[in-house]
Amino acid sequence: MDHTTVGIIGGGPAGLLLARLLHNSGIDCVVLESRDRAYVEQRQRAGILEQSTVDVLRGSGAAERLDREGLVHDGIELRWNRRAQRIDFPALTGGRRVWVYAQTEVVKDLIALQTAGGAPLLFEARVTAVAGADTDRPVVHYTHQGQDKTLSCDYVVGCDGFHGVTRKAIPDGACRTFERVYPYSWFGILADVPPSCDELIYAHSPRGFALHSMRSTTVSRLYLQVANGTDPADWPDERIWDELDARFALDGGWRLERGPITSKAVLPMRSSVTEPMRWGRVFLAGDAAHIVPPTGAKGLNLAVSDVVVLARAFARLQDTGSAELLDAYSDTCLRRVWRAEHFSYFMTTTLHTDPGQSDFETRLQISQLDRIAASPHAAAELAGNYAGLTIE
Ligand code: FAD
Ligand code: DHB
């Protein structure tokens, strides 16, 4: 049976960055990823990197292309009641900002580094079970090239996303999951058209939420709030653009450029936190431990902060023999996780229209948005959370 110090399950952003950080500290690890490389590199997901994520990628040597191609954003625009308000991040946070650089690109950069001399990374290696989480030698069972295999580890880290198998290694009763499912979804599109704005637009409207984001100076990424269970086939391109136009409309006019739509997908929205993020020698990181609704752009950034805390703890163990940071991992991460959960919930419930929403509740949302426009303190609270806290 093969052996490694840290067995990493999942080659998404969490698993790949953890492998990079451990490799940089001279800690032996192996990444097992169930999908093939092309699938992992093309999976459309997040697009916003907060300041600390960029700092970490730079520090780990994975930001060369990000620094060339990433778009620095110093704010976002909020829209409601047919008016717009810019939130200026550096001015409100003492200089913090965000980058538009797609998760697909972060993943490609990390894979390229890992295959060019990093830790072993196996694609199409599907983990079926993790055994012995409460022993000194947990064992990962996986299938690769049609064969059943096993990897014994000093530690196992589940970076295998919300539907992964690692969480199942923790017995019922040893952890608790807190959850909320939202009564709406996002309909996301990619379009070959230059963005109609310089910064992201988050729009509240009586017809529901809309978000204008981008992937580059030539590709736009847009999202519409839709009912759960919506079938993209019911949304021909004209209908999508007309609906976006209606939701972004401003008094005084505003023009949304249209172009060929190259991708359509419906994403359900959920908040979920599993506590603690560790049991025995098995750790959970990223979406395997927690999910946020995407309105706060926090999912990918939380995955990064988890593995930074974990990599530091493994390095301390290796250098000094002390497990103190490893023992503190779950508590350290959960403080940041719950802050991001609250912010994501706040952004989601302030900007979306619940199907059963009363006019009273809509007035409360408008009042909250008016407050953000009128009060630098309220705006700074939003900006600080969006641009992201420093990693503890
Ligand atoms: P993942 O990226 O999910 O990676 C987990 C990896 O584990 C995957 O590669 C998977 O193939 C692998 N895996 C799973 N099971 C096994 C197994 N049994 N064996 C081996 N490997 C396995 N966040 C935002 O901020 N903005 C967004 O717009 C946004 N959009 C999203 C859209 C979707 C459809 C989803 C699912 C998430 C979105 N997110 C978004 C959240 C963000 O993309 C995630 O928070 C981020 O991907 C978390 O990274 P991760 O590495 O923890 O998990
Ligand atoms: C994007 C996704 C988000 O969830 C968000 O809040 C902002 C931008 C994006 O995909 O570009």
Side-chain angles (χ1 to χ4, degrees):
M1 186 186 328
D2 291 332
H3 181 81
T4 188
T5 306
V6 182
I8 300 174
I9 305 176
L16 292 168
L17 181 62
L18 178 61
R20 173 91 193 143
L21 297 172
L22 293 179
H23 183 72
N24 287 351
S25 297
I27 299 168
D28 186 41
C29 62
V30 173
V31 179
L32 303 173
E33 164 57 49
S34 58
R35 302 291 192 152
D36 64 31
R37 179 171 178 170
Y39 182 92
V40 173
E41 290 187 340
Q42 279 153 32
R43 194 164 36 191
Q44 265 311 318
R45 286 189 171 178
I48 295 287
L49 308 185
E50 59 185 44
Q51 177 79 54
S52 57
T53 295
V54 171
D55 295 343
V56 167
L57 291 171
R58 284 180 175 156
S60 71
E64 193 199 313
R65 197 160 64 93
L66 161 64
D67 277 325
R68 255 185 295 123
E69 297 176 14
L71 306 173
V72 180
H73 280 208
D74 280 349
I76 55 168
E77 187 178 300
L78 299 177
R79 288 190 184 181
W80 71 103
N81 271 352
R82 302 177 65 87
R83 59 167 291 208
Q85 174 70 39
R86 177 169 190 260
I87 308 293
D88 182 328
F89 295 155
L92 291 162
T93 64
R96 296 176 80 76
R97 38 183 43 167
V98 299
W99 277 249
V100 171
Y101 191 68
Q103 180 167 330
T104 47
E105 308 313 297
V106 174
V107 164
K108 281 180 204 160
D109 295 346
L110 289 168
I111 290 176
L113 285 169
Q114 191 155 346
T115 51
L121 163 59
L122 274 64
F123 289 104
E124 299 178 77
R126 191 171 61 83
V127 173
T128 50
V130 178
D134 55 346
T135 69
D136 286 350
R137 279 287 159 95
V139 174
V140 177
H141 297 266
Y142 66 102
T143 56
H144 189 231
Q145 295 170 336
Q147 290 191 320
D148 291 337
K149 304 226 166 154
T150 48
L151 176 67
S152 96
C153 310
D154 292 344
Y155 296 92
V156 172
V157 184
C159 298
D160 46 351
F162 185 64
H163 300 289
V165 297
T166 314
R167 236 183 9 247
K168 299 185 185 117
I170 304 177
D172 289 346
C175 63
R176 182 168 172 202
T177 297
F178 301 83
E179 211 163 20
R180 181 189 173 98
V181 178
Y182 295 83
Y184 34 74
S185 301
W186 275 17
F187 187 4
I189 63 158
L190 275 176
D192 280 338
V193 59
S196 302
C197 47
D198 294 330
E199 294 177 339
L200 272 61
I201 304 170
Y202 288 79
H204 175 282
S205 94
R207 307 174 68 95
F209 171 76
L211 169 61
H212 191 324
S213 181
M214 60 197 73
R215 286 290 172 267
S216 68
T217 52
T218 55
V219 176
S220 296
R221 173 85 167 143
L222 295 119
Y223 299 95
L224 279 172
Q225 175 190 343
V226 291
N228 286 343
T230 292
D231 181 354
D234 293 335
W235 285 77
D237 295 8
E238 281 305 295
R239 182 177 177 201
I240 295 172
W241 290 116
D242 288 348
E243 190 61 32
L244 288 165
D245 257 338
R247 295 190 192 184
F248 287 122
L250 289 179
D251 285 342
W254 183 74
R255 189 175 162 77
L256 177 65
E257 298 300 335
R258 301 184 176 199
I261 296 176
T262 57
S263 146
K264 296 180 188 176
V266 172
L267 327 167
M269 303 192 34
R270 175 193 296 274
S271 302
S272 170
V273 180
T274 296
E275 292 186 356
M277 291 166 59
R278 172 201 187 161
W279 193 71
R281 286 182 173 240
V282 171
F283 293 79
L284 301 175
D287 278 15
H290 40 72
I291 297 284
V292 286
T295 327
K298 285 283 162 262
L300 169 60
N301 294 296
L302 276 183
V304 167
S305 53
D306 284 354
V307 299
V308 167
V309 172
L310 192 51
R312 205 165 50 198
F314 281 126
R316 172 75 70 88
L317 180 69
Q318 174 181 257
D319 295 346
T320 69
S322 165
E324 191 190 354
L325 293 185
L326 221 43
D327 291 341
Y329 167 73
S330 179
D331 287 345
T332 305
C333 289
L334 284 168
R335 281 191 287 277
R336 187 186 184 88
V337 166
W338 276 111
R339 177 88 301 280
E341 288 288 347
H342 179 267
F343 177 64
S344 304
Y345 167 87
F346 165 80
M347 289 289 280
T348 301
T349 53
T350 301
L351 290 165
H352 290 70
T353 305
D354 197 285
Q357 185 164 314
S358 66
D359 291 347
F360 177 84
E361 287 158 326
T362 304
R363 288 288 193 281
L364 292 181
Q365 292 178 319
I366 299 294
S367 169
Q368 180 63 53
L369 291 162
D370 287 344
R371 172 76 183 155
I372 291 165
S375 157
H377 293 292
E381 180 61 13
L382 192 158
N385 279 287
Y386 194 101
L389 315 175
T390 51
I391 299 174
E392 252 184 72

